[in-house]
Amino acid sequence: MNIGIIGLGLIGGSIGLGLRKSNFGDKFIGTDSNKKNALHAVKLGIVDEIIPLQDLILQSSVIVLSIPVDEIEKILPSILNIISTDTVILDTGSTKYDICNKIDSHPKRSRFVATHPIAGIENSGPISAYSDLFYKKKCIICDSELSDPDAMNVVTKIYSIMKMRMIYMTSKEHDSYIAYISHLPHVVSFALANTVLKKFKHEEKIFNNMMGSGLDSTTRLAKSKPETWLPIFISNRKNMIQAIDFYIDHLNKFRNHLINKEFHKIDQYMKKANNIKDKKYV
């Protein structure tokens, strides 16, 4: 079985390494628009060789689409046009509805499985990839009823091999939920980083002497690649606006408590926020 990986960055690279570690697949082939990524992917053993996109599509039994969501949306219909009836395609995009809607009426729609392995870090590229990135993490599979049973079996086996926990929902539900639990934290991180950079742009001593773990951890996501995240924000724009508005309401509530010296309410607010630790999946 040939595994074809389109996009050899952190996620695509980690899938390749994870499947290799588990001896799933006979040959790994890849393609990437970034020549440096492609070169690193071969050197690191993520793929055996780099081949043209058209050849990869024809030669692969399983195709992994791990590129920005706008590129997935553009390229997926043409891939479906070419593949054989037993090829399986899965994507790793952070939004799902636009991608799924794009191919809703395609005659080979059932060969595609829409997935979102939630396992990213702030670093990018194949040099950051590692085989255990997905260990005990969650993978959301969307609109599973639209995929052929055999395609679903292949994809669930792939993620099970990498010790992921599968969660099933519609693509519309996914984009609504993920706006709050993944996309909004990135917006907050970008905004906080820019706030501090603008406020102290002429005061390097602040960054050299006073930057603590709180700011460092909260702005960690601000290191994420804009070329990855801008398409995500565009694709999930409506849900993002709702999430940001909801967050602003909470910031204003906190601000008003400070203005009105309602410190007991701030205490209650923080204690309520402490409950987030009980909501984490273990």
Side-chain angles (χ1 to χ4, degrees), residues 8 37-50:
L8 298 164
N37 279 0
L39 182 63
H40 281 309
V42 174
K43 287 183 176 180
L44 294 168
I46 292 170
V47 294
D48 298 303
E49 63 176 325
I50 302 296

Side-chain angles (χ1 to χ4, degrees), residues 118-138:
I118 304 177
I121 57 176
E122 70 273 19
N123 299 319
S124 61
I127 58 173
S128 299
Y130 60 101
S131 60
D132 291 331
L133 176 67
F134 305 102
Y135 182 69
K136 289 189 175 180
K137 302 290 177 57
K138 296 178 284 291

Side-chain angles (χ1 to χ4, degrees), residues 1-4 20 24-29 46-49 51 59-60 62:
M1 177 187 291
N2 289 348
I3 310 296
R20 274 193 184 281
F24 183 92
D26 302 310
K27 184 178 181 181
F28 290 78
I29 52 181
I46 292 170
V47 294
D48 298 303
E49 63 176 325
I51 64 174
Q59 294 179 29
S60 300
V62 176

